[in-house]
Amino acid sequence: MVNIRGGDADNTGPAIPHAPQPLHQPQGLGTIQSARPLERHRLRMLLLDAVDEDRHDVEVLLTGLQHAVAEVHGLGGMVHLPGAGMSGILYLVAESGLPESITRPWLIIPVRGTAPPGRAARNDTIIWQPDLAPPDPLPGRGPIAQWPSRLTAGIGHLAVPIPSGGWRRGALSVLFAPGAEPGAAEHRFLEEVAAWMSGRLRSSGILNPSPTLLRALENGPGPREAAATREAERVPSFTYTWDLHTGELTSDLPVEEVLAGIDPGVMSGGIEAWAELIHPDDLPGAVAGFDTGIQMRGGFQGEYRIRRQDGTYLWIEARARTITDEAGTPVKVIGTIRDSSETHAAAESVGRALRHMSDGFVSLDTDWRIGFLNHGAERLLGAAGDVAGAMLWDIPAIRAVPELEQRCRATAAEGVPAGFDVPGPDGTSWYHLRLVPVPEGLTLYITDTTERHLREADRAAAERAAAERGALVQRITRELAEAVTAQDVMTAVADGVMTPLGATGLVMVGMAGDRLTVVGSRGRSERFSRMLDRQWAVLDTTNPVGDALRTRTPLFISSREEFLKRYPGTETLIREGGTQAWAFLPLAVSGRGIGAVVICFGRPRVLDDDERTLLTALSGLIAQALDRAGLYDEATTRARTLQRNLLPQALPELPEVTAAARYQPAKQGADIGGDWYDVIPLSAARVAFVIGDVMGHGMAEAATMGGLRTAVRTLSELELPPDEILGHLNDIVGEQGSDAFVTCLYGIYDPVSRLLSYASAGQPPPAVAHPDGTVAFLPMTPDPPLGVAAPPYEVRETLLPADSLLALYSDGLVESKDRDVTTGMNRLAELLLESVNAMPTSAADASGLDALCDTLTSALLPAHGELIDDAALLLVRTHPLGSENVAEWPLPEDPVAAGQARDLVRAQLAEWDLTDEDLVMTTELLVSELVGNVIRHACGPIRLRMLRSRALICEVSDASLTTPHIRHTSVTDEDGRGLQLISALCQRWGTRHTRTGKSIWTEQPLPTASA
């Protein structure tokens, strides 16, 4: 360290001069002082740039420091640089204008401390401390020097980082008088000076002290140095004297007697000749060590290499102490030198062995900081440059080890080695940690025991499998006997086989013609199952399944290499499957192959004889169960097909309503259920909705459902109200016996009045989602189910706003073994409320309702086939018939009414732009005939109504309850041909009874261009 003080060199008191005195006053300084600050800063930097390139690093630092202190009017300054040999250390390499009592505590400071230089270097930022304070001592060591007690309060300390090419940085510090805080301009100038220093330094290493010197600076040698001293006493050495004034070197023995191969005349050349022998890599540390030791007026120790006459190098250990005169000025250095090559070679050999050994090795000091770690430890903890000097517990990979700190402290306190296993940070590996206490701290050995743990886990799994093998056969046999479907068989095999054998996947394939199809899989991706499906042919022996079916013998493959050797060209399948070993079990019944089971393993696996015998025996049981399941699946498929055919194949597309439906059968085997739904167009643009449920499952229930659905459609053709239809259905169910139990809801929607008339026999109330975003259930007290009690059934009416959404459902949709009907209805209302506002309202598009059906059934029904009852859902969005499509007039009870009716019809058709003459004439004729029949055979009041909807509808109403019938007339009859004419001219016609009489209606198709 270079020490430049302003004032008396012998003054060691706390007083600090108020202005630093530079070594050389530059010319033109008065001009600099009188310039503005920014201009003055620029001139300073120009002066620094003019410094000769061949200046030594010490001179560079001093020159930059003096200019920095002078320009910002500081009291003094310091420069700290990092140690090349010790991570986490900064040492003082230059100072200006400060007494020794101030600089002594700053000789060596920790980077991780709270002092401004350490914080600036660590965080790469400017640090300002308004009140000067002593630095933190090195970790685990006491203060290096006593802090002055009579120091002026309020001295400010500003530290600026000195950048470098690596991650380590130094710091430039300036002390300011109390109350003088530097501003932004001073910050920028000092940053420029620090950058200039960094750019001009040729090698910061020449100023770094060695670790040996650092130990010598701190209260004498410790146990390690003492041991080294005792060792040195047994090795030949010579004593030397270095005169600091003349540079002369003298020794008590010839150098060549102690240091073989060294030039005998080196001592006569003085300190310069000796320095020329020092290895270039060791010269900076040696020079810095001697320099620091001399300034400390104490003893120091170092180890470095010197050159022999033949050009090779040997290691020496130099010990010395500084001799001062009466005034305390260093005058000479006296020390000893010995050959340490043998010791160093042994240490290097041990170091190389430790560094390259397979196990991890970490050396901790007494403060639990990492002093050394080898390559194996670096792979786990991080690079040595990043973690050396850090607390062991601060390493991220170590934090996850439970109670490691407590174990380390207990081991060090007890002095007895300890070991334990811990999981690796990746969750799959295992390590054994062995803690060995040593006099200077603790050593940590890290051994990868993952393979041992895996072997132990495999062995334990095999033992458990052997113990469970007897019970396994019984359990699988019982589950296969209870399996109903092919999926049940696959599940039973996967549950019973995969875990005991340690398998990672299972695929069951069946035969479909000449191809092998995937019946089910466990532990394999859908992509792999699709790839395997129908890829192999049954009779193709170039694949393992076909080979096993041909020989009727299980096939076991223990590795990928064996698989590829037997069946080349299967690389893609192996890669996609991610499997390392396989067992292929052929399935045959009565000499007939029906499929195979493929068991997959994630690692190479050789099955032992017991395991192979077990799988061979199981293959016969699996084959019988799969054959039974195939027969059951065929029966179930036929039953499901019958049930689908009994339900509407497609709902009618009507302008008055948009409808969608879903039916989900119960997962109870081949029995079919009795839920049904229907949408039936009626006269006068009205639409009937029906949903019902025949309780139970089986062919009888399905037949009852089919008969009731046909009866409902037939009764609807008679234009009966909801209560009468339910009454007739009740009679039908009652005739079938007391075992029948049927619920049903029937409703009629009139798009002209927007009225919904409905009656229920034991069916839950429909939910209505109104356009305003509210959801409610229709009010009703359901009457008993059909076949339980006698009519009448209560009819209710409700007014539906335009584009209302009606949800009719069976109890299987909202009720399950884990949820009652009320809870399910509330959940249905919540789902409707969430979804209905986003639904399309177009009468011609039911895709939105289809999507809503899927949403509701997915949310309300179990996802994995646990449905215990059939579920039916019918969604209907209503679309009222606008007033512009309805026309109605009263007619007089007089023969002239027919003529008036024809005039009204013609005018209305013209207003609707229905001007096709055939349509106009036909409509006039139909209306005239209907009105004429009323005049002749019925009584008033008479009303005529026309509707433009899915067809052109004409209605004539009267007060008579007599229903007209077509008569079969002879050629001589003068009347009775009116209804025959009506039937011939319209698409369909009929009579509908009302509260005040009846209405006779006709429907005619609208012209295509007007539709």
Side-chain angles (χ1 to χ4, degrees), residues 438-454:
V438 295
E440 296 82 10
L442 191 74
T443 57
L444 174 65
Y445 296 84
I446 307 173
T447 305
D448 189 341
T449 59
T450 302
E451 290 298 327
R452 177 170 60 82
H453 273 270
L454 291 177

Side-chain angles (χ1 to χ4, degrees), residues 193-223:
V193 174
W196 178 84
M197 288 180 175
S198 176
R200 293 298 298 271
L201 285 176
R202 292 193 299 270
S203 172
S204 63
I206 65 171
L207 300 172
N208 291 347
S210 69
T212 305
L213 176 58
L214 293 177
R215 290 194 299 271
L217 293 174
E218 301 178 32
N219 303 323

Side-chain angles (χ1 to χ4, degrees), residues 17 182 186 231 269 280 344 407 425 430 440 479 512 552 558 582 649 653 807 950 957 960:
E186 286 77 9
E231 180 66 23
H344 197 85
R407 290 175 183 263
W430 282 86
E440 296 82 10
E479 292 178 355
R552 298 289 193 272
S558 59
W582 298 261
Q649 300 302 304
E653 297 182 4
R950 58 179 180 266
S957 303
S960 173

